[in-house]
């Protein structure tokens, strides 16, 4: 870019992925030193936005739609029988078809039965017949629509046409960081290489023998094929000088000509061999914690989802903030696990609850799951919040699955299989945390990334490198013949990733000696370094593992679990806090005396508290001529302001609004003229108790509960004192409005807005008087204990979530 002398806005740069685009954006701004217009930076696979095309009129058939239809077709085969059996088979078939499309192979032109003739095993011939039928039927079902893979490839070929016709209007066109391993990307790079202003920047430093490059395990196999395709000899590739690097050592170590490089200095590379996978994750966390103390950035490469999850757990234990924006499988989220666990329970017990709800929802899977969540939330394990942002991706996936199923009806077993397959295919990604000094990525995402400290984890055979593509449908000879990836395709790509990542300033190679109870074999990449006799460090591993193991055997320093006993507190207290004092005095101590409040997480979206605030506000400001429809419309409007458009949570909230509106309207009409959100006070046992009543009028008080209202026993026991004490304040002129004689004998009402049980609960004069007396006595007793008597604010374990907000302060999990 510097040497070209061309304006940034006249550059078009293709990069491996969106993260690489972010990195280059930041690099340019850092180099320029101020705000600037950027070049056109394009992640490989995105299309040309300003090209008019008639393609796409028929739309695109999604991968999920193809999987659903194919599984349904396969389930008719006697040896497969069920959709749950057919799903994994369908996935392997769709994967094979996508690989062929990536290789520009037109599947519809292949005569499978002729290709796989009687020279091959019968099971391959049987599969070839299935492939023939499926290829024909799939085309009929999908009406000739393009697959997502074909559409992505079409986007890349659109760039090829764009550049060939010189429509790009760019003076410099660059492809950076791609190995040209995908045929369609190789074609784009070939076009760019033919341009007078085209530049290709290849990863690594290709060097060695041509016969080595031709092997499908060689790190430069894909780059060599690309260079050969455009008629460029390896020796013609210009080297970009990046300073001292281990790349020459790595090239020699990964060649097939033995060279003894004894004593080559790899002292900045540290090998750590942990006893097991959990210890490996703990070692990575220890290295990371030390790097953070030294104000260094850290890049961690983890080749599998399970390793990613172990790192996440260790980082949480160590309070290490990291960017895990690579995401997790939808099936591993709380909402995903909760739904699948409930299905497992029903399937195991033989209950037909799913089928009954499914039929009542006209066999619509999304509506069925929504009703299950509404009805059976308390049965879910783990518990989850449907309004949590990570749940939105799961709901979208279920909605998409439901749409794909269409007229296909499923039982609980098949529904569970479909949901698990659909959720496993999505990645739930948190917002990218640019401020984090630690980033955890997979091998593909890590391209064009670096840091002060680079940690490569999972360096065992079968993990790093991963197992190659094994096609169960075709003999290997046929697979190679029609253009499917070689068995060692991933080995080649991951070898180059290992070499490049190992050229950093401070490198840690981590592996576990045992995985899943089975002894592992070190990665062939480590073996090559060892055979080449590179002098890497192992002493750091002893120090790191010693620190990790000592953390597991720290001498206990007994903690004091004594309950707090502060000086007498006579400050004013709100009735809403008294509930805490009754049920968990320690929580009252933290909230009222220490005045600590949980701070809402910035990244967490709307939740049940926002729902309650919204409903309260609408009812508080409802006009005298309100109708059911106007209340629903106003709540919908407010919800869209909170949630934003196209938010699936709105679907659940709207259903609640429709249930709430008629009962809320009845309440508004019956309490017309009431005061809303009015302050009141009463002195009890020498201490002021304050309240803010939802609705109050001469002779009655009403409290709005978006969940369940207190039951009669709780009120008469004095354990839920809020509304009875508000009635007591009304009786004793504690609110600033002129009362009537009716206020001397008030009544209480609750507007309960619990899902599925919305109603007005009324208590007559006698019941209200009993509840008032019980609440007054209970609060007097408490004030005599804590304010006057100096009692300890003891911690009480309770199953109610609202009383557990401060359990971490009390170390609740550590108590007997």
């Amino acid at each position: 870019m510097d040497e070209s002398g061309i304006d940034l806005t006249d550059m078009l740069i293709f990069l491996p992925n969106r993260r690489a685009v972010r990195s280059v954006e930041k690099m340019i701004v850092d180099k320029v030193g101020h705000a600037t217009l950027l070049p056109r930076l394009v992640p490989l696979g995105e299309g040309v936005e300003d090209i008019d095309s008639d393609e796409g009129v028929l739309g695109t058939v999604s991968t999920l739609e193809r999987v659903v239809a194919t599984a349904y077709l396969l389930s008719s085969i006697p040896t497969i029988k069920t959709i749950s059996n057919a799903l994994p088979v369908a996935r392997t078939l769709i994967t094979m078809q996508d690989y062929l499309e990536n290789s520009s192979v037109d599947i519809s032109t292949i005569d499978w039965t002729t290709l796989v003739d009687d020279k091959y095993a019968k099971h391959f011939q049987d599969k070839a017949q299935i492939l023939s039928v499926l290829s024909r039927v799939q085309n009929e079902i999908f009406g000739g629509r393009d697959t997502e893979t074909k559409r992505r490839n079409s986007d890349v070929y659109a760039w090829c046409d764009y550049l060939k016709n010189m429509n790009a209007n760019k003076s410099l066109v660059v492809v950076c960081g791609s190995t040209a391993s995908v045929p369609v990307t190789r074609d784009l790079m070939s076009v760019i290489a033919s341009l007078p202003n085209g530049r290709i920047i290849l990863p690594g430093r290709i060097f060695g023998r041509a016969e080595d490059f031709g092997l499908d395990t060689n790190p430069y196999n894909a780059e060599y094929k690309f260079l050969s395709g455009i008629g460029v000899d390896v020796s013609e590739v210009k080297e970009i000088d990046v300073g001292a690097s281990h790349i020459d050592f790595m090239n020699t170590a990964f060649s097939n000509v033995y060279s003894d490089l004894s004593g080559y200095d790899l002292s900045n590379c540290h090998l750590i061999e942990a006893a097991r996978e959990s210890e490996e994750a703990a070692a990575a966390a220890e290295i990371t914690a030390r790097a953070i103390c030294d104000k260094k950035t850290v890049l961690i490469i983890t080749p599998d989802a399970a390793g990613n999850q172990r790192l996440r757990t260790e980082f949480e234990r160590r309070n290490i903030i990291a960017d895990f924006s690579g995401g997790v499988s939808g099936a591993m989220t709380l909402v995903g696990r909760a739904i699948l666990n409930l299905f497992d329970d029903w399937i195991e017990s033989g209950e037909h609850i799913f089928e009954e709800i499914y039929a009542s929802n006209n066999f619509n899977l999304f509506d069925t799951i929504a009703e299950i969540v509404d009805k059976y939330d308390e049965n879910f394990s783990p518990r989850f919040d449907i309004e949590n942002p990570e749940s939105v991706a799961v709901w979208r996936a279920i909605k998409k699955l439901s749409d794909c199923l269409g007229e296909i009806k499923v039982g609980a077993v098949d529904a569970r299989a479909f949901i698990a397959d659909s959720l496993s295919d999505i990645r739930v990604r948190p917002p990218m945390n640019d401020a984090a000094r630690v980033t955890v990525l997979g091998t593909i995402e890590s391209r064009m990334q670096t840091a002060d400290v680079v940690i490569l984890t999972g360096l065992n055979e079968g993990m790093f490198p991963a197992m190659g593509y094994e096609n169960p449908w075709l003999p290997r000879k046929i697979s190679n013949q029609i253009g499917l990836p070689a068995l060692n395709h991933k080995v080649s790509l991951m070898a180059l990733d290992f070499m490049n990542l190992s050229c950093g300033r401070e490198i840690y190679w981590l592996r576990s000696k045992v995985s899943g109870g089975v002894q592992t074999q070190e990665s062939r990449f480590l073996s090559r370094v060892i055979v080449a006799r590179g002098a890497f460090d192992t002493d750091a591993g002893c120090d790191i593992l010693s620190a990790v193991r000592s953390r597991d055997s720290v001498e206990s320093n007994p903690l004091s679990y004594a309950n707090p006993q502060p000086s007498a507190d006579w400050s004013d207290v709100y009735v809403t806090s008294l509930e805490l004092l009754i049920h968990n005095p320690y929580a009252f101590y933290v909230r009222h005396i220490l005045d600590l409040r949980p701070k809402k997480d910035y990244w967490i979206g709307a939740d049940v508290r926002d729902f309650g605030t919204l409903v309260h506000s609408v009812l508080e400001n409802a006009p005298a001529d309100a109708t059911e429809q106007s209340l629903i419309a106003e709540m919908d409007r407010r919800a869209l302001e909170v949630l934003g458009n196209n938010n699936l949570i709105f679907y659940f909230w709207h259903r609640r609004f429709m249930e709430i509106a008629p009962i809320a309207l009845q309440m508004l009409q019956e309490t017309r003229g009431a005061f809303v959100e009015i302050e009141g006070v009463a002195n009890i046992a020498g201490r002021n108790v304050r309240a803010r009543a939802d609705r109050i009028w001469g002779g009655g008080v009403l409290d709005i509960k978006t969940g369940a209202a207190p039951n009669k026993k709780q009120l008469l026991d004095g354990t839920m004192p809020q509304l009875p004490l508000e009635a007591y304040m009304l009786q004793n002129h504690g609110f600033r409005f002129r009362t009537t004689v009716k206020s001397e004998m008030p009544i209480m009402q609750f507007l309960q807005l619990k899902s599925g049980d919305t109603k007005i609960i009324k208590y007559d004069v006698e019941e209200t008087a009993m509840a008032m007396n019980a609440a007054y006595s209970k609060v007097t007793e408490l004030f005599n204990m804590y304010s006057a008597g100096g009692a300890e604010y003891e911690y009480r374990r309770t199953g109610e979530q609202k009383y557990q907000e401060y359990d971490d302060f009390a170390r609740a999990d550590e108590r007997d």
Side-chain angles (χ1 to χ4, degrees):
M1 292 168 68
D2 281 342
E3 291 176 358
S4 71
I6 294 171
D7 189 83
L8 289 177
T9 57
D10 286 330
M11 297 180 184
L12 173 61
I13 303 175
F14 293 92
L15 299 163
N17 49 54
R18 291 180 180 273
R19 183 176 287 275
V21 169
R22 292 280 288 269
S23 297
V24 172
E25 286 174 346
K26 292 162 78 173
M27 178 274 291
I28 293 172
V29 173
D30 288 344
K31 294 283 186 184
V32 173
H34 53 74
T36 184
L37 293 174
L38 294 169
R40 178 76 180 274
L41 303 173
V42 182
L44 284 166
E46 291 200 354
V48 186
E49 297 169 353
D50 52 347
I51 288 182
D52 294 328
S53 172
D54 292 330
E55 293 182 8
V57 173
L58 297 175
T60 302
V61 56
S62 70
T63 301
L64 180 60
E65 193 175 351
R66 293 163 64 203
V67 169
V68 168
T70 305
Y72 182 68
L73 293 170
L74 288 171
S75 66
S76 63
I77 297 174
T79 54
I80 295 179
K81 295 182 180 178
T82 67
I83 287 177
S84 54
N85 289 338
L87 262 173
V89 181
R91 275 286 173 191
T92 62
L93 175 61
I94 298 301
T95 299
M96 183 188 77
Q97 291 176 335
D98 286 343
Y99 272 129
L100 288 171
E101 287 193 340
N102 269 331
S103 300
S104 301
V105 176
D106 187 351
I107 303 170
S108 63
T109 63
I110 298 178
D111 184 345
W112 295 106
T113 53
T114 301
L115 191 65
V116 185
D117 55 23
D118 55 10
K119 293 194 301 291
Y120 298 99
K122 187 176 185 305
H123 71 92
F124 279 129
Q125 295 179 52
D126 292 341
K127 288 175 181 177
Q129 291 180 347
I130 294 172
L131 286 172
S132 295
V133 174
L134 287 175
S135 296
R136 183 181 69 253
V137 174
Q138 283 178 328
N139 194 49
E140 293 173 1
I141 292 174
F142 303 134
R145 287 181 291 160
D146 288 346
T147 65
E148 291 176 346
T149 301
K150 189 172 183 180
R151 177 52 51 84
R152 281 194 298 270
N153 292 345
S154 297
D155 289 340
V156 177
Y157 283 123
W159 277 114
C160 294
D161 295 338
Y162 188 58
L163 295 169
K164 285 177 185 176
N165 298 325
M166 300 306 292
N167 290 333
N169 296 321
K170 300 292 175 183
S171 299
L172 180 67
V173 184
V174 181
V175 175
C176 182
S178 174
T179 59
S181 60
V182 179
V184 66
T185 306
R186 187 184 310 149
D187 292 342
L188 173 64
M189 292 170 66
S190 298
V191 171
I192 294 173
S194 69
L195 299 175
N197 57 352
R199 302 289 184 271
I200 308 294
I201 304 177
L202 298 171
R205 179 178 177 271
I206 185 167
F207 181 83
R209 303 183 308 167
E211 53 266 41
D212 285 351
F213 297 144
L215 299 173
D216 57 15
T217 55
N218 188 274
Y220 297 109
N221 176 258
E223 292 184 9
Y224 177 72
K225 288 179 180 177
F226 163 68
L227 293 172
S228 299
I230 62 173
V232 174
D233 188 78
V234 169
S235 62
E236 297 178 71
V237 178
K238 298 178 181 177
E239 181 179 349
I240 299 175
D241 184 8
V242 296
S245 169
H246 294 318
I247 194 64
D248 289 334
F249 170 84
M250 291 294 175
N251 280 342
T252 303
F254 279 73
S255 74
N256 283 351
V257 177
Y258 175 72
S259 298
D260 187 345
L261 301 175
S262 298
Y264 181 86
D265 185 10
L266 286 174
S267 57
N268 65 318
C269 297
H270 314 281
L271 175 62
I272 300 177
E273 298 183 287
R276 55 194 178 279
E277 292 168 307
S278 58
E279 187 175 76
E280 180 184 347
E286 177 67 24
I287 297 165
T288 303
R290 295 184 182 191
I292 292 172
C293 289
D294 293 336
K295 301 190 182 309
K296 295 178 180 178
T297 56
V298 182
L299 172 62
I300 304 178
I301 309 303
T302 174
D304 72 319
N308 185 294
Q309 186 59 41
R310 285 190 293 271
L311 281 173
R312 189 186 296 269
T313 301
E314 282 297 327
F315 281 14
E316 287 175 355
R317 288 178 58 190
R318 302 284 299 265
N319 293 320
I320 296 173
I321 298 173
D323 177 6
F324 280 92
S325 55
V328 296
S329 163
M332 294 303 296
T333 61
L334 284 181
V335 61
R337 287 300 333 147
I339 291 171
L340 294 175
N341 287 349
L342 190 59
F343 269 90
D344 290 339
D345 290 344
W346 286 344
I347 292 168
E348 186 177 349
S349 66
E351 297 179 87
H352 297 285
I353 297 174
F354 167 78
E355 285 79 3
E356 294 170 3
I357 301 174
Y358 188 44
S360 70
N361 281 280
N362 296 318
F363 304 102
N364 182 293
L365 184 63
F366 180 79
D367 290 343
T368 301
I369 300 299
E371 184 173 337
I372 288 171
V373 169
D374 277 347
K375 278 190 173 182
Y376 296 95
D377 177 58
E378 69 278 3
N379 294 338
F380 278 42
S381 178
R383 299 291 298 224
F384 72 92
D385 178 3
I386 63 170
E387 293 159 348
N388 189 295
E390 78 169 11
S391 302
V392 175
V394 172
W395 290 117
R396 284 191 181 130
I398 294 175
K399 181 67 168 68
K400 186 177 178 182
L401 171 62
S402 182
D403 293 342
C404 289
L405 284 172
E407 299 299 318
I408 298 175
K409 298 176 183 177
V410 293
V413 173
D414 288 341
R416 199 266 184 211
F418 267 131
I419 292 170
D421 176 83
S422 179
L423 296 187
S424 297
D425 199 43
I426 65 169
R427 305 295 293 176
V428 179
R429 304 178 188 274
M432 194 177 290
N433 186 352
D434 284 331
R437 300 182 65 83
V438 182
T439 306
V440 181
L441 300 174
T443 51
I444 294 176
E445 295 170 310
S446 70
R447 290 170 188 170
M448 295 188 65
Q449 308 296 319
T450 190
D452 299 323
V453 176
V454 177
I455 306 172
L456 282 69
T457 67
L459 283 165
N460 289 323
E461 278 297 298
M463 186 65 66
F464 199 155
M467 297 292 290
Y469 172 66
E470 188 71 61
N471 174 30
W473 286 88
L474 299 169
R476 189 168 296 174
K477 181 179 178 181
I478 298 294
S479 294
N480 295 336
Q481 178 182 331
I482 65 175
L484 286 171
L487 180 63
N488 292 312
H489 177 68
K490 288 184 179 179
V491 175
S492 170
L493 298 178
M494 295 183 82
L496 187 56
D497 289 331
F498 174 86
M499 291 165 57
N500 286 331
L501 289 164
S502 295
C503 288
R505 288 189 290 271
E506 187 175 351
I507 309 299
Y508 290 88
W509 297 323
L510 271 61
R511 64 174 293 261
S512 54
K513 295 180 179 179
V514 173
S515 174
V518 178
Q519 187 171 349
T520 60
Q521 180 182 347
E522 70 186 18
S523 167
R524 67 187 71 182
F525 304 155
L526 290 177
S527 298
R528 283 188 171 271
V529 174
I530 293 169
V531 169
R533 302 175 70 85
F536 54 84
D537 169 64
T538 56
D539 293 338
C542 298
D543 178 41
I544 295 293
L545 291 176
S546 176
V548 166
R549 290 161 184 165
S550 66
R551 288 181 67 85
D552 292 335
S553 58
V554 176
E555 285 189 24
S556 61
N557 184 11
L559 297 171
S560 172
Y561 292 97
N563 295 313
Q565 192 175 12
S567 57
D569 174 39
W570 292 97
S571 62
D572 292 4
V573 60
Y574 271 86
V575 288
T576 49
S577 295
L578 292 176
E579 193 177 326
L580 288 178
L581 186 60
I582 292 169
H583 296 279
N584 189 354
Y586 182 85
F588 175 87
Y589 163 77
V590 177
R591 180 182 180 85
H592 180 75
I593 297 179
L594 298 185
D595 195 26
L596 295 178
R597 302 286 192 279
K599 183 177 286 188
K600 186 172 181 179
D601 191 330
Y602 177 82
W603 295 108
I604 292 179
D607 57 18
V608 67
R609 287 171 292 189
D610 297 293
F611 177 86
T613 301
L614 183 155
V615 173
H616 272 75
S617 177
V618 170
L619 297 184
E620 175 186 342
N621 297 289
D625 60 350
T627 65
E628 286 184 31
Q629 292 306 314
S630 69
L631 289 176
I632 294 172
E634 180 61 15
M635 287 188 280
D636 281 348
R637 185 185 69 80
R638 297 280 192 90
L640 289 172
E641 288 179 358
V642 174
L643 301 172
N645 294 323
N646 302 318
N647 191 319
L648 283 175
I649 297 173
F650 176 80
Y651 172 85
F652 297 98
W653 283 19
H654 176 70
R655 289 178 59 180
R656 293 283 305 279
F657 298 155
M658 294 180 67
E659 180 186 1
I660 287 169
I663 305 300
L665 182 63
Q666 177 188 339
M667 179 276 293
L668 291 172
Q669 291 172 344
E670 291 178 357
T671 61
R672 194 183 302 276
F675 295 94
V676 297
E677 294 296 319
I678 186 171
E679 291 273 358
V681 64
N683 189 279
I684 301 177
R687 188 171 184 178
N688 284 337
V689 177
R690 297 188 175 275
R692 183 186 293 273
D694 284 344
R695 295 183 77 84
I696 189 167
W697 62 94
V701 289
L702 180 141
D703 189 33
I704 301 172
K705 297 291 186 186
T706 48
N711 59 45
K712 186 173 182 180
K713 183 178 185 306
Q714 291 172 319
L715 294 170
L716 296 183
D717 287 345
T719 57
M720 300 296 282
Q722 179 183 346
L723 192 60
L725 289 183
E726 289 176 5
Y728 175 81
M729 293 176 193
L730 175 62
Q731 185 185 59
N732 289 274
H733 314 289
F735 292 98
R736 293 184 178 179
F737 69 91
R738 187 182 298 277
T739 59
T740 65
V741 67
K742 290 183 179 180
S743 298
E744 296 177 6
M745 301 178 67
I747 62 169
M748 299 187 307
Q749 294 182 8
F750 289 99
L751 175 59
Q752 176 176 280
L753 303 180
K754 180 183 177 183
S755 177
D757 192 21
T758 299
K759 60 185 176 182
I760 300 173
I761 303 171
K762 299 181 179 181
Y763 291 94
D764 59 27
V765 170
E766 183 178 343
E767 291 169 327
T768 301
M770 294 170 64
M772 286 162 50
N773 290 335
Y776 184 89
S777 298
K778 174 64 72 174
V779 172
T780 299
E781 176 188 344
L782 292 171
F783 287 170
N784 287 336
M785 285 174 58
Y786 294 102
S787 298
E792 297 177 350
Y793 288 85
E794 63 177 310
Y795 168 79
R796 293 177 189 163
R797 188 176 295 277
T798 170
E800 290 279 351
Q801 181 67 36
K802 59 184 177 179
Y803 306 135
Q804 298 174 355
E805 226 169 16
Y806 301 101
D807 276 13
D808 52 340
F809 281 82
R811 297 190 176 93
D813 293 337
E814 301 172 24
R815 293 171 178 258
D816 293 333

